[in-house]
Amino acid sequence: MREVFRNELDELATQLVDMSTKVLDSIRLANQALRSNDLELAERVIEADAKIDAMQHTLDQQAAEILALQGPIASDLRAVIGALRMSASLERMGDLARHIAQQVRIRYPESAIPKHFEPTFLRMGDSAEKIAEATENLLNNPGLSMVPTINAIDEELDELHLSVFAQLADAPAEDLAPRHIADVTLLSRYYERFGDHAVSVSQKVEYLLTGNWEPYLSRK
């Protein structure tokens, strides 16, 4: 029975890796769609989000069955609860990639990014891809080495998010229509939250490995 239980936990871990891979694919495509104003790519991201949602549903259902049938305790219980919470964060990252793609679709055939904001969103997109790659790496090779990397990239995204508002404040009023302000505000928020959810995943992994919740509490 114990071997069966261990296999079930391993399956949850595998599903989390698979979800993180799908999230990485989605944010990469969403960035490409945004940069090139490619409606076809945007539609692919939007459609692919349903697969991530389905993966979360499957994982959560299996985790619930483990809780009900196996009655895990101590570290095993933390692993199952952690998997549930990480799947929620990964699903939300997929949603945010979809939101970026939807913004492309809403503005098409015009670009969702005003010309003078392009360098900032290029950097935000690059950072989002890096943090998604680090998250996939973390889940595929559980350990603490990726945690500082994820935290550092998240700080980059936070700073870029704030810089968008500084650019909006400094931009001549005649250069920005209300839709431009709405677009860059929403897109910036999507990227910033994408990073936050990656940090949430890393915090759960760190807790599972160390039993220490202080890093999480210190960020509140």
Side-chain angles (χ1 to χ4, degrees):
M1 180 64 73
R2 186 66 186 176
E3 183 177 352
V4 172
F5 179 42
R6 182 53 52 188
N7 289 338
E8 290 175 339
L9 291 181
D10 289 344
E11 176 60 22
L12 290 183
T14 298
Q15 289 182 61
L16 286 172
V17 174
D18 291 343
M19 283 187 72
S20 69
T21 300
K22 288 290 186 184
V23 167
L24 176 56
D25 290 343
S26 289
I27 195 62
R28 282 174 172 166
L29 285 179
N31 285 336
Q32 292 177 30
L34 185 63
R35 292 166 183 169
S36 60
N37 197 29
D38 190 319
L39 182 59
E40 182 179 347
L41 284 180
E43 295 289 1
R44 284 173 58 187
V45 176
I46 294 166
E47 292 173 5
D49 184 56
K51 296 178 181 178
I52 297 175
D53 293 346
M55 293 171 79
Q56 184 204 13
H57 177 76
T58 298
L59 187 152
D60 289 0
Q61 187 175 41
Q62 292 183 6
E65 290 175 357
I66 291 174
L67 290 173
L69 300 177
Q70 300 288 359
I73 60 174
S75 62
D76 290 336
L77 178 60
R78 291 202 304 269
V80 178
I81 298 300
L84 284 166
R85 299 189 68 177
M86 284 186 275
S87 75
S89 289
L90 290 168
E91 188 274 336
R92 187 57 186 153
M93 291 171 78
D95 286 346
L96 291 162
R98 186 194 75 222
H99 291 337
I100 293 167
Q102 287 174 324
Q103 207 63 27
V104 175
R105 183 170 67 179
I106 288 170
R107 291 303 174 206
Y108 189 84
E110 296 183 37
S111 174
I113 308 176
K115 194 72 175 177
H116 48 287
F117 282 86
E118 288 179 357
T120 299
F121 281 98
L122 180 63
R123 291 178 61 194
M124 293 191 88
D126 287 343
S127 293
E129 288 185 29
K130 289 177 183 176
I131 208 168
E133 290 169 359
T135 302
E136 181 190 42
N137 192 323
L138 174 68
L139 292 171
N140 200 32
N141 304 283
L144 299 179
S145 61
M146 282 292 106
V147 173
T149 298
I150 290 172
N151 288 337
I153 299 171
D154 180 57
E155 290 179 4
E156 291 176 9
L157 284 166
D158 290 345
E159 291 172 2
L160 288 167
H161 179 53
L162 291 175
S163 76
V164 168
F165 294 100
Q167 291 179 68
L168 285 171
D170 293 340
E174 62 271 16
D175 291 347
L176 292 175
R179 70 172 182 83
H180 293 139
I181 297 172
D183 288 345
V184 298
T185 300
L186 286 171
L187 287 167
S188 179
R189 179 61 171 166
Y190 297 152
Y191 281 114
E192 187 266 339
R193 289 299 295 155
F194 188 90
D196 287 347
H197 283 287
V199 169
S200 180
V201 172
S202 74
Q203 289 170 342
K204 305 306 182 300
V205 172
E206 185 174 8
Y207 175 62
L208 290 175
L209 293 175
T210 68
N212 182 14
W213 205 235
E214 285 303 314
Y216 173 78
L217 295 175
S218 66
R219 289 179 63 88
K220 286 296 186 179

